[in-house]
Amino acid sequence: MDQQLLKIITDFYKDLPRQGPGSTRATKWALTRIMEMGPIEHILDIGCGTGAQTIVLGQETGAKVDALDRVQDFLDVLKIKRDQQRLSDRIQLHHAQMDKLPFEAESFDLIWSEGAIYNMGFTYGLKNWGKLLKPGGFMVVSEISWTTESRPQLLTDYWNSNYPEMDLVSAKVRLMEMMGYSTIGAFALPDVGWRNYYEPVSQKLAQLDGSGSPALQGFLEQIKTELKIYHEYRQYYNYFFYIMRRP
Ligand code: SAH
């Protein structure tokens, strides 16, 4: 990615509580299901951002957690939270790319990725990240998906141009099956999960003036469009948690 844009994105998001839709209760809900099914000793959190979910993973399990992101500024924020929560002996941070994961095959009981798999695509993530799971290991990813078969064409076009793998929940579940996983479940994020993300984003938008920089202005306009689309059309899509298991 263009370094100027990456800096704009980093500066915008690094002091927000999360970098995508989500909620602590949703994280815990998915985690609880999994902890009922097998021992979780080693977790990989891909695209951890400033670590809203990383801290929960650390607190709720006794596991060792490897958290990875390409943005060092996000990891620096997470490091402070981790140390405050006295989790430094169990959560380890990795500055790395999600398409060059620096880990050995079959080393994790659980791979977690909230609001980040779209950077590579759902299919890519399921195909490539699963190799790092031990047999019987779990994968939990959250991603935006359609909730209805029919919807305004304008909306379909908007999301397909932003995320070409945008699809129905049923199609995502089918992909999980085709990629060799067994399905544990899929559930919709409650509205509060979007508010947790979009409210701080809106506040930040109100504080920023992009008029001095075309790149910043372009970025802010994109976010404003996304918010407008959400407020108008949110009955047609949602964020979903997808929970699956390597046989
Ligand atoms: N899981 C966090 C962050 C989600 S935003 C949350 O839910 O709040 C997506 C994250 O993926 C960002 O932190 C971004 O820096 C990271 N990311 C995007 N592309 C990446 C890549 N190629 N390699 C590693 N991390 C990446």
Side-chain angles (χ1 to χ4, degrees):
M1 184 190 280
D2 162 24
Q3 287 307 304
Q4 188 193 13
L5 183 57
L6 190 55
K7 168 114 180 47
I8 287 173
I9 295 175
T10 301
D11 289 345
F12 187 90
Y13 284 110
K14 71 181 172 198
D15 54 357
L16 301 189
R18 47 178 69 245
Q19 289 73 42
S23 80
T24 296
R25 287 174 76 170
T27 300
K28 284 186 185 170
W29 201 91
L31 192 57
T32 306
R33 298 283 81 70
I34 285 170
M35 288 170 72
E36 285 166 358
M37 300 174 83
I40 304 297
E41 286 162 6
H42 197 184
I43 304 174
L44 173 60
D45 183 6
I46 302 179
C48 60
T50 61
Q53 75 291 318
T54 320
I55 297 295
V56 178
L57 295 171
Q59 284 169 336
E60 298 292 309
T61 67
K64 178 176 182 298
V65 183
D66 285 300
L68 175 144
D69 206 280
R70 72 169 170 198
V71 175
Q72 184 63 48
D73 285 13
F74 292 167
L75 295 173
D76 292 344
V77 174
L78 173 51
K79 182 173 186 305
I80 293 167
K81 286 198 270 188
R82 175 195 74 178
D83 296 349
Q84 279 168 351
Q85 297 294 324
R86 303 183 195 285
L87 287 166
S88 34
D89 53 335
R90 284 201 286 111
I91 298 179
Q92 201 178 340
L93 309 179
H94 302 266
H95 185 215
Q97 297 285 339
M98 54 171 77
D99 57 347
K100 292 189 198 76
L101 295 171
F103 305 103
E104 291 192 4
E106 305 199 348
S107 40
F108 296 95
D109 303 294
L110 171 59
I111 292 178
W112 200 274
S113 184
E114 286 192 37
I117 194 170
Y118 75 91
N119 287 288
M120 291 297 130
F122 190 82
T123 311
Y124 176 98
L126 264 53
K127 186 164 177 206
N128 293 281
W129 298 351
K131 296 169 192 159
L132 299 182
L133 283 177
K134 296 175 191 168
F138 299 90
M139 175 129 76
V140 176
V141 300
S142 73
E143 121 137 339
I144 194 164
S145 311
W146 299 124
T147 50
T148 61
E149 173 69 33
S150 57
R151 68 193 86 87
Q153 188 61 38
L154 176 152
L155 179 67
T156 304
D157 294 345
Y158 171 81
W159 273 115
N160 281 342
S161 71
N162 281 282
Y163 182 47
E165 288 191 46
M166 180 89 166
D167 212 336
L168 285 163
V169 178
S170 52
K172 299 278 174 189
V173 171
R174 183 79 192 111
L175 260 169
M176 285 157 46
E177 296 162 355
M178 289 189 321
M179 308 296 267
Y181 293 93
S182 21
T183 305
I184 309 283
F187 70 92
L189 190 67
D191 286 351
V192 66
W194 289 90
R195 288 201 297 277
N196 289 343
Y197 174 56
Y198 277 155
E199 281 174 5
V201 162
S202 302
Q203 283 164 15
K204 187 95 184 171
L205 276 174
Q207 295 161 8
L208 285 175
D209 171 18
S211 58
S213 153
L216 177 59
Q217 193 148 31
F219 172 74
L220 299 178
E221 284 308 318
Q222 267 180 28
I223 296 187
K224 284 182 196 157
T225 306
E226 186 186 316
L227 289 171
K228 228 190 284 169
I229 293 268
Y230 178 73
H231 286 117
E232 200 155 338
Y233 297 113
R234 63 186 195 181
Q235 70 269 34
Y236 300 108
Y237 64 98
N238 205 344
Y239 243 78
F240 279 79
F241 274 75
Y242 293 96
I243 310 176
M244 66 207 94
R245 185 172 201 176
R246 180 174 164 177

